[in-house]
Amino acid sequence: MARRCELTGKGVQTGHNVSHSNIKTNRRYLPSVRRVKLVSDALNRIVTLKISTHALRSVEHNEGIDNYLVKQPDAKLSLNARRLKRDILKARKDRGTAADLTLPAEADAEAVEVDEANA
């Protein structure tokens, strides 16, 4: 089982266990990779990806897998994630929401500014 995050590319690193007598033995540092199911709003389906816990927090911060994938460069993403990104962009283009990437908090702030200007 390849322990690599499909969104960030984070994988296994190597290093040494160092004893008190300074003897170095090889070891592996494994990333915290989990298989998770995420809901894609653009595709209206559940997507299963193998991602790190750090990437999961980033997805939640960006308010969903759709916004996260659109913002990521293709070089970081796995083949499966690049295909998913392409499908999401295509679905957004069909719905006419490709340019609508503002977060709800930003939209609320803009609405408040407009209300203050009208008052």
Side-chain angles (χ1 to χ4, degrees):
M1 175 170 135
R3 299 194 57 89
R4 182 161 302 275
C5 176
E6 292 189 59
L7 299 182
T8 61
K10 185 181 288 192
V12 176
Q13 294 182 336
T14 59
H16 295 289
N17 283 334
V18 181
S19 69
H20 179 69
S21 62
N22 206 25
I23 296 173
K24 296 168 185 72
T25 55
N26 293 333
R27 65 160 294 179
R28 297 172 65 196
Y29 293 95
L30 301 176
S32 178
V33 177
R34 304 285 183 255
R35 187 171 300 275
V36 295
K37 294 179 181 179
L38 302 168
V39 177
S40 172
D41 295 330
L43 302 177
N44 291 327
R45 66 182 174 100
I46 295 176
V47 179
T48 302
L49 294 171
K50 194 181 343 174
I51 63 175
S52 64
T53 52
H54 177 77
L56 182 61
R57 292 182 67 210
S58 297
V59 167
E60 290 174 1
H61 178 75
N62 285 297
E63 298 186 356
I65 188 70
D66 299 341
N67 290 335
Y68 180 83
L69 284 175
V70 168
K71 293 178 183 179
Q72 289 300 311
D74 287 344
K76 279 187 167 183
L77 302 174
S78 69
L79 180 62
N80 188 22
R82 283 192 302 250
R83 288 178 181 158
L84 184 61
K85 178 180 176 179
R86 183 189 62 213
D87 293 343
I88 289 169
L89 290 173
K90 192 175 187 181
R92 282 187 171 187
K93 184 179 176 185
D94 292 344
R95 290 185 184 159
T97 60
D100 184 27
L101 292 177
T102 59
L103 298 175
E106 294 171 1
D108 290 342
E110 291 172 5
V112 170
E113 290 173 6
V114 170
D115 290 340
E116 290 175 357
N118 290 337

